[in-house]
Amino acid sequence: MRVPLSWLREYVDLPATETGRDVQAKLISAGLEVETVEHLGADLKGPLVVGQVLTIEELEGFKKPIRFCTVDVGRANGTGEPQEIVCGARNFSVGDKVVVVLPGATLPGGFSISARKTYGKVSHGMICSSDELGMGDDGTHGIIVLPPETEVGKDAVELLELVDEVLDIAVTANRGDCLSIRGVARETAIAYGLPLRDPALLDVPGPNAFGYPVKVSDPAGCDRFTARTVTGLSPEARSPIWLQRRLQKVGMRPISLAVDVTNYVMMELGQPLHAYDRHQVQGTIGVRRAQEGEKIVTLDGVERKLHAEDLVITDDRGPIGLAGVMGGADTEIADHDPSEEGAGATTDVIIEAAHFDQVSVARTARRHKLSSEASRRFERGVDPQAAAAAAQRTVDLLVLLAGGTAEAGVTEVVAPGAPHTVTMAADHPDKVAGVTYGRETVVRRLQEVGCDVYGQDELIVTVPSWRPDLTDPNDLAEEVIRLEGYENLPSTLPRPPAGRGLTARQRLHRRIGRALAGAGYVEALNYPFVSEQVFDQLGLEADDPARRVVKLVNPLSDEEPALRTSLLPGLLAALRHNDGRGSHDLALFETGLVFQPRDAARVAANLPVDRRPSPDDIAALNAALPDQPRHVAVVLAGAREQAGWWGKGRPADWADAVEAARTVAREAGAELGIRKGQYGPWHPGRCAELTVTVDGAERVVGHAGELHPRVLKTLGLPARSCAMELDLDVLERVGDTVPQAPSISTFPVATQDVALVVDAYVPAAEVEAALREGAGELLESIRLFDVYENAEQLGEGRKSLAYALRFRANDRTLTVDEASAAREAAVALATDRTGAVLRG
């Protein structure tokens, strides 16, 4: 909302020394967001005067039409002689009054004016357009032509009100009252402690039986409709300069007198209005819901197919306007065409001032993608009590400026209703702010915003009609707090109870993030929204539990209406995005929640806002929410180790994904089982199933390995991409994060190597598990240091696995026989379980 300071001063007697910056500071302190203060004409310097065109000579021989004019500027040039000016515009004639800038002046933008030779003539100044003076769009796109009665030689800076300050206010959705000069003036008056001259306080005649007939069939959509009629408007009447300038300053373009007056009153009082050409309206004006399939051509010339929920204005022919949004072209006000004496000009108008339902107007505007100044106000709340005053103000201006006659008939259709009241404890604002205001201050501040307040310890507050956003005690408390000044609230640091800090879950989350980052992974945070088609792309079975999703009622995107059950879709999309932009060596990780629907759907109850929810309230809310376990996932592509002077690099492979799972398990203090597996998007021959033991039973908590080539092709991912995903909550449950001091023996270690030949399909993890169990308590560690495959030496489909076994006792030095016996026991169990043969 743009608010000229000169217009604001009409309703509030601000001190003469107050600038736009001062008013901005006051309004910001009161809670309004004043973004900027625009200084109109700040760099404009005269002389800028009214002149009358005496002669026009057409200059020929140039690429564009050029005119050499003589203009009478009175004594403004010091001589009284006509001023010679070269001008390229063609929208003025001999005898017209124009705005002339004389040599020595400076126009907005620092453009200095001096006498100069151009097109073979010397131009002593310039005839100005509205753009050159920084006035905004006046609809002509040419020279400013002033009314014939304007005095020659008059100061045009004062005449056109070129010097002013304009406050640009970002009005929030709940403060529709501030989308008007009246509303901002009220806030300014409160901020300065000054009286307000309310422009809506007018003598308005009561409704009678002579008004234009109106029938409201939907009182829920339109609870108030006022109609007034003005006849005998002069076709030649034009909007005066002061009215045009005020519209330009608030960001609107002057169009015609009748339209300009309705726009002016809307900006002044906040009540949208509409003027109908009375001769084009046929029969009774009605307000109803549209019938499916009806059409209307709106004022922007677009034919629109109406929806059954659209609220429309009608006559006997059908819809003539979208209520609260835009009027129809059939009843548009016609302007006077100077080329045809009085032809087609509107002389009789019907003024509509109505109050429409906020939700209905908002939905209609969005449904038809048609936002207007009227719809913006109705969506945010319009004062229903201002409709009659706005209609009267419009009638008065049309009578004054266009010579019209106000008909005695007044139509006012009002649905029954009562003022909204709120009951609030007198000390409620004190409790909200943590400041003692006292009852007297609370009552005074509420009365300043227009409330009627009764009661002592418990206040009964009647909310003013222009503040529909005040619906509960917290809204009233906010009014008291903002008017007393947010800056006056004391700064109090919170005092957390001693001994509390991060939870165990939060500490584990941070440790895992640091560990993966230290291993070369980069964290990538993704939105939790997915499409159900992604499960087909990942190759999940039709009965896979991951396909059961929680769907959002109002998703951000219709293409992604579900909440994720896996972190992989988001991470793989990030991998594809970065690879497509030239980053081919990637290692990404994410920790986050996944969402799993419960078997029995429940509806969450509304929690109280006036007190802390009870444990039962919170438990009931949590029971209605889906399960939300925390997962961790990584994806890899490209080189895992870069090549350089230190040696050859290597690409990322399935083993890196498995190692990432081990890294996470170590941080969680959990023992992770790794075995051959097959699931969803992973390559069936290069997929590890990750398990832990929970309450004595083995449980699968994730998978790691190389992704299936079909998945890579479907998702457009790099070849040989790998991934891992783990259920972090289960790891936390079975893990032991208590630090364990290592057992350090003073006795030497005995190392024994063993190479076993097994079938190629036997996982190394199974062989290692058998060796570990067979070696017994003396085994300190085991490490796979070589994998060898050679069909000629080992046989077809066979491989050799070489392990380094370290044996140590805590109480003695092991003998060779003891170490060898432990080694032979390990080999014997591996042979029995996996069919391994000791390689000779």
Side-chain angles (χ1 to χ4, degrees), residues 586-610:
L586 297 162
L588 308 177
F589 84 94
E590 181 180 9
T591 57
L593 301 179
V594 298
F595 304 86
Q596 300 168 351
R598 297 182 187 270
D599 294 332
R602 300 183 183 181
V603 178
N606 292 327
L607 295 181
V609 296
D610 57 343

Side-chain angles (χ1 to χ4, degrees), residues 565-598:
T565 57
S566 167
L567 300 182
L568 288 184
L571 272 180
L572 293 176
L575 181 72
R576 179 177 64 248
H577 180 88
N578 285 275
D579 180 72
R581 282 156 179 76
S583 298
H584 304 301
D585 303 325
L586 297 162
L588 308 177
F589 84 94
E590 181 180 9
T591 57
L593 301 179
V594 298
F595 304 86
Q596 300 168 351
R598 297 182 187 270

Side-chain angles (χ1 to χ4, degrees), residues 380-715:
R380 289 159 175 79
V382 169
D383 181 5
Q385 302 294 334
Q392 182 64 45
R393 177 73 165 140
T394 305
V395 168
D396 292 343
L397 288 172
L398 288 176
V399 170
L400 175 67
L401 302 176
T405 301
E407 289 194 352
V410 177
T411 303
E412 191 164 0
V413 180
V414 182
H420 179 65
T421 60
V422 179
T423 302
M424 178 185 74
D427 61 349
H428 182 66
D430 301 3
K431 294 178 180 179
V432 172
V435 176
T436 303
Y437 292 121
R439 179 187 177 281
E440 182 181 347
T441 299
V442 171
V443 171
R444 175 172 56 85
R445 288 302 190 183
L446 292 179
Q447 288 175 340
E448 285 178 346
V449 299
C451 298
D452 291 330
V453 185
Y454 304 95
Q456 292 298 318
D457 294 338
E458 186 173 73
L459 303 179
I460 300 175
V461 182
T462 302
V463 175
S465 58
W466 57 83
R467 290 299 302 274
D469 59 305
L470 303 181
T471 60
D472 58 55
N474 287 322
D475 294 329
L476 300 179
E478 181 185 6
E479 292 300 297
V480 175
I481 296 168
R482 74 176 181 88
L483 294 178
E484 283 295 304
Y486 291 119
E487 68 277 8
N488 295 324
L489 293 176
S491 298
T492 305
L493 292 176
R495 297 179 180 179
R500 295 187 182 180
L502 297 177
T503 64
R505 187 183 192 192
Q506 291 170 330
R507 290 195 296 270
L508 175 61
H509 180 209
R510 292 193 179 189
R511 285 203 312 274
I512 288 173
R514 286 194 294 266
L516 290 175
Y521 290 86
V522 176
E523 187 171 18
L525 301 178
N526 299 286
Y527 288 116
F529 312 117
V530 296
S531 66
E532 294 184 82
Q533 287 73 24
V534 75
F535 302 123
D536 296 327
Q537 297 170 340
L538 292 177
L540 299 186
E541 298 292 338
D543 58 349
D544 195 299
R547 285 183 175 270
R548 293 185 62 238
V549 296
V550 178
K551 289 188 178 180
L552 300 175
V553 176
N554 187 22
L556 292 179
S557 170
D558 292 336
E559 296 179 357
E560 296 180 333
L563 291 174
R564 66 190 179 191
T565 57
S566 167
L567 300 182
L568 288 184
L571 272 180
L572 293 176
L575 181 72
R576 179 177 64 248
H577 180 88
N578 285 275
D579 180 72
R581 282 156 179 76
S583 298
H584 304 301
D585 303 325
L586 297 162
L588 308 177
F589 84 94
E590 181 180 9
T591 57
L593 301 179
V594 298
F595 304 86
Q596 300 168 351
R598 297 182 187 270
D599 294 332
R602 300 183 183 181
V603 178
N606 292 327
L607 295 181
V609 296
D610 57 343
R611 58 179 173 82
R612 176 181 174 82
S614 68
D616 292 340
D617 292 334
I618 297 176
L621 176 64
N622 289 333
L625 297 176
D627 288 328
Q628 300 175 51
R630 185 177 294 275
H631 282 201
V632 58
V634 304
V635 294
L636 304 101
R640 184 64 175 137
E641 295 177 3
Q642 298 290 337
W645 57 265
W646 51 84
K648 295 181 179 180
R650 70 172 184 85
D653 60 18
W654 62 269
D656 294 300
V658 174
E659 182 58 30
R662 290 195 178 101
T663 299
V664 172
R666 282 194 296 269
E667 292 298 326
E671 184 175 346
L672 191 67
I674 301 172
R675 67 190 182 198
K676 182 179 179 180
Q678 182 174 346
Y679 178 70
W682 280 277
H683 192 296
R686 297 168 188 160
C687 173
E689 194 171 69
L690 310 174
T691 65
V692 295
T693 301
V694 182
D695 298 330
E698 192 175 58
R699 177 173 171 180
V700 176
V701 291
H703 295 82
E706 184 178 316
L707 295 175
H708 198 290
R710 182 173 58 251
V711 173
L712 299 180
K713 182 178 180 181
T714 302
L715 295 177

Side-chain angles (χ1 to χ4, degrees), residues 126 154 157 197 352 398 439 666 734 818:
M126 188 168 71
K154 184 177 178 64
V157 175
R197 288 189 294 275
E352 166 208 302
L398 288 176
R439 179 187 177 281
R666 282 194 296 269
V734 302
E818 288 177 309

Side-chain angles (χ1 to χ4, degrees), residues 71-89:
V71 184
D72 178 15
V73 295
R75 303 293 301 178
N77 57 5
T79 65
E81 296 294 325
Q83 201 79 1
E84 296 179 339
I85 299 175
V86 175
C87 183

Side-chain angles (χ1 to χ4, degrees), residues 180-214:
S180 66
I181 304 297
R182 178 196 184 200
V184 177
R186 183 183 297 111
E187 291 295 318
T188 305
I190 295 173
Y192 279 91
L194 296 171
L196 170 70
R197 288 189 294 275
D198 192 343
L201 294 180
L202 301 174
D203 290 330
V204 180
N208 53 52
F210 311 110
Y212 197 90
V214 173

